[in-house]
Amino acid sequence: MKTVVSVSLGTSKRDKKETVELLGDTYQLERRGTDGDMKRFGELFLELDGKVDALGVGGADIYLVVEDRKYAFREILNLVKGVKKTPVVDGGGLKHTLERETIKALQASGEIDFSKSKVLLVSAVDRFGMAQALHESGASVVYGDFLFGIGMPIPIRTYSGVKTLGKLLLPIITKLPFKWFYPTGEKQETRTPKYPKYFLEADIICGDWHYIRKFMPDQLEGKTIITQTLRKADLKFLQEAKVAAAITTTPVINGETFATNVMEGVIVAHLGRRPEDIKPEEYLEVLAKLGWKPNRIDLSQA
């Protein structure tokens, strides 16, 4: 049996363990939350090194990407750099392929015509594949990196703006404490709605689920959410907010979806190679074997 463990800075309340048959092997997929405890987060990576087939960074990113440049969050990289035997992934390799393909697949199937849609992408720098695909689709996009990542009332309305500001700011931001930019531990459970105008103007709200949940207004009647993974409690929350539909990007396995870092860990374990040696088309080949497609949940029927 192959084992993939996601060590998360998020709350331990969302922990789970599943044994599934995938790609001709049995996999044990596990999430372990550390409630925002950075020290415990780093210790768990070292404890599990060499004992599992892949380790995922959950509730955090190691790398943010703008075009061909990659910037490492120094604090997170320092916590995992002691891992020598087990491959470590943060979901970035899969985000830049799977989430790009999600937008393309929805456009090609006619399920969503992005060229006639107003979209809010809550953060582009941790969803750069999605940002590129939305730009190429002709969607009218507000990129919320300043609004929700930095807390400044500046909506970015062009893809070129994302590139310019990303290259200017990411070298600085990634050297600062991670918790300044992303909720960890119990803070992932608290909601502080912010800049509701941009949520209400949009037809479709995309990106990281914790950002969406934290900052969205109480009601989003008729909107569509595109995000990575949603638990049953999340779907109930969206239903109460009168959201019309949710589309998840990660494959549904035994009725559950797993975070992108877990699914990237599965692919790395399946291929038996270091993540830095795996090409985007190889991720897509494995996803095709899994029968992946965007998973639409009609919340009026949920």
Side-chain angles (χ1 to χ4, degrees):
M1 182 166 69
K2 296 186 177 181
T3 305
V4 177
V5 178
S6 170
V7 180
S8 175
L9 279 172
T11 173
S12 56
K13 294 176 183 175
R14 293 171 70 94
D15 282 0
K16 61 179 178 179
K17 184 190 288 188
E18 296 273 352
T19 301
V20 298
E21 299 294 327
L22 290 171
L23 303 163
D25 279 311
T26 303
Y27 283 81
Q28 182 174 284
L29 310 180
E30 183 178 0
R31 177 195 186 276
R32 296 192 195 181
T34 58
D35 301 311
D37 185 335
M38 290 282 185
K39 182 171 181 288
R40 181 59 184 149
F41 178 83
E43 288 172 348
L44 261 179
F45 274 96
L46 295 179
E47 288 173 18
L48 294 167
D49 186 21
K51 299 176 182 174
V52 299
D53 295 282
L55 282 164
V57 174
D61 289 311
I62 300 178
Y63 297 105
L64 298 179
V65 176
V66 175
E67 287 283 280
D68 57 348
R69 298 189 188 182
K70 193 158 83 169
Y71 305 89
F73 265 110
R74 184 166 61 184
E75 185 178 24
I76 304 300
L77 185 62
N78 284 341
L79 290 169
V80 304
K81 68 181 183 184
V83 177
K84 303 298 182 188
K85 299 175 183 174
T86 300
V88 176
V89 297
D90 70 349
L94 202 54
K95 285 178 190 174
H96 299 312
T97 51
L98 179 148
E99 295 185 346
R100 187 192 311 274
E101 291 304 309
T102 295
I103 301 302
K104 290 181 178 178
L106 291 170
Q107 180 83 35
S109 68
E111 192 167 345
I112 295 177
D113 185 352
F114 287 98
S115 69
K116 297 179 181 175
S117 301
K118 293 182 178 178
V119 178
L120 170 65
L121 176 57
V122 288
S123 174
V125 293
D126 82 324
R127 288 302 195 276
F128 202 68
M130 184 177 277
Q132 282 183 319
L134 286 170
H135 166 68
E136 291 165 2
S137 75
S140 172
V141 187
V142 169
Y143 304 94
D145 298 72
F146 268 131
L147 298 169
F148 309 113
I150 301 177
M152 296 175 66
I154 304 173
I156 306 172
R157 295 187 183 275
T158 64
Y159 177 69
S160 60
V162 171
K163 291 192 293 183
T164 301
L165 293 170
K167 289 174 181 176
L168 282 173
L169 295 179
L170 287 184
I172 301 167
I173 286 173
T174 49
K175 292 180 175 60
L176 299 174
F178 182 77
K179 65 182 180 182
W180 289 9
F181 305 100
Y182 193 81
T184 61
E186 289 294 323
K187 289 182 180 176
Q188 289 185 353
E189 302 298 305
T190 60
R191 294 190 60 247
T192 52
K194 189 181 287 185
Y195 302 118
K197 168 186 174 183
Y198 300 104
F199 283 94
L200 297 173
E201 282 180 352
D203 308 306
I204 300 162
I205 295 139
C206 302
D208 179 86
W209 168 240
H210 291 301
Y211 258 33
I212 293 172
R213 183 183 180 282
K214 187 174 185 64
F215 297 122
M216 65 179 264
D218 292 339
Q219 297 289 296
L220 282 178
E221 187 169 0
K223 310 295 184 186
T224 295
I225 304 287
I226 303 176
T227 191
Q228 70 273 38
T229 179
L230 294 169
R231 309 291 293 273
K232 289 178 182 174
D234 300 325
L235 293 172
K236 184 173 185 292
F237 170 77
L238 289 175
Q239 199 170 22
E240 289 173 352
K242 299 183 180 178
V243 170
I247 297 173
T248 57
T249 57
T250 50
V252 178
I253 298 169
N254 291 353
E256 281 273 17
T257 56
F258 287 88
T260 46
N261 72 86
V262 177
M263 292 312 305
E264 187 173 340
V266 167
I267 294 173
V268 167
H270 171 68
L271 295 175
R273 290 161 50 202
R274 306 295 299 185
E276 56 270 25
D277 296 329
I278 300 174
K279 297 176 181 175
E281 53 267 32
E282 293 177 283
Y283 283 110
L284 294 176
E285 287 172 9
V286 179
L287 288 168
K289 290 179 185 175
L290 286 168
W292 169 84
K293 63 179 181 178
N295 177 44
R296 184 187 180 92
I297 303 158
D298 183 348
L299 293 170
S300 66
Q301 304 295 322

